[in-house]
Amino acid sequence: MTDSDATPAPEGWRGPLFGVVALMVVLLDVTTKILAERHLPLHEPQQVIGQLFQLTLAYNYGAAFGMHLGSASRWVFGLAALVGLVVIGRLALQTPPTDRPRLLALALIFGGAAGNLIDRIRSPQGVVDFIDVGIGAQHRFWTFNIADSAVTVGAILLLLVLWLDERVARSAPVS
């Protein structure tokens, strides 16, 4: 079979990269959160690598960095995540299938946002966090999860991709 015999991909198809990565992030996130809830005591750090890396079960009913809106947090941040998923999904559909770094970044963000949205829907306690890094008791980062990590890495990758695109556009000769 030659390339000319191949059936063209449907409009909007981006290959498996976006879907596979987003699904893997959601599955890894949900699985690790279930394990954390089953095996970790609430707010009691379990040392993995001394105090540098610990597992500490916590619930965040707000958003990143402790932002919250009281009792409305669950629904307001859930709605914001849903809107974000639609926006990221549309951006992915508009991204050429050959732009793998951008699709990877969008998939990481989408999967992470979906993972945390699942928590907001399933539990009034909020998003399950359990990854706890820092030095001693005084210098600790906020407790987070796989979804948070995916969103952060995806956002950094997307910024890098956009920055590189801008540099290429500036260096292109003007006709």
Side-chain angles (χ1 to χ4, degrees), residues 12 72 78 82-83 105 121 127 131 140:
L82 193 57
V83 170
I121 291 169
V127 175
I131 301 171
R140 306 214 62 79

Side-chain angles (χ1 to χ4, degrees), residues 27-84:
L27 291 176
L28 183 61
D29 181 62
V30 169
T31 301
T32 56
K33 287 173 176 175
I34 288 169
L35 290 171
E37 286 184 300
R38 285 186 184 163
H39 300 288
L40 295 174
L42 186 62
H43 301 297
E44 291 183 28
Q46 306 299 305
Q47 292 186 356
V48 177
I49 302 174
Q51 287 187 341
L52 181 65
F53 178 73
Q54 303 175 140
L55 298 177
T56 306
L57 178 61
Y59 293 94
N60 180 2
Y61 66 93
F65 312 117
M67 295 184 340
H68 62 87
L69 302 171
S71 62
S73 290
R74 177 181 183 193
W75 303 112
V76 170
F77 293 127
L79 181 60
L82 193 57
V83 170

Side-chain angles (χ1 to χ4, degrees), residues 127-171:
V127 175
V128 176
D129 289 328
F130 61 93
I131 301 171
D132 181 3
V133 295
I135 300 170
Q138 300 298 322
H139 305 289
R140 306 214 62 79
F141 194 72
W142 293 276
T143 306
F144 58 99
N145 58 47
I146 300 296
D148 297 337
S149 299
V151 169
T152 301
V153 170
I156 291 167
L157 178 57
L158 185 59
L159 288 172
L160 180 61
V161 166
L162 295 173
W163 178 72
L164 290 172
D165 285 353
E166 177 68 22
R167 288 192 67 197
V168 168
R170 284 187 186 178
S171 65

Side-chain angles (χ1 to χ4, degrees), residues 50-124:
Q51 287 187 341
L52 181 65
F53 178 73
Q54 303 175 140
L55 298 177
T56 306
L57 178 61
Y59 293 94
N60 180 2
Y61 66 93
F65 312 117
M67 295 184 340
H68 62 87
L69 302 171
S71 62
S73 290
R74 177 181 183 193
W75 303 112
V76 170
F77 293 127
L79 181 60
L82 193 57
V83 170
L85 288 172
V86 170
V87 170
I88 296 299
R90 291 190 58 119
L91 288 172
L93 287 174
Q94 295 169 359
T95 300
T98 55
D99 194 347
R100 295 176 70 79
R102 186 182 309 242
L103 285 172
L104 175 61
L106 293 171
L108 289 168
I109 296 167
F110 188 95
N116 281 339
L117 178 59
I118 289 168
D119 274 6
R120 290 189 191 288
I121 291 169
R122 75 176 182 88
S123 173

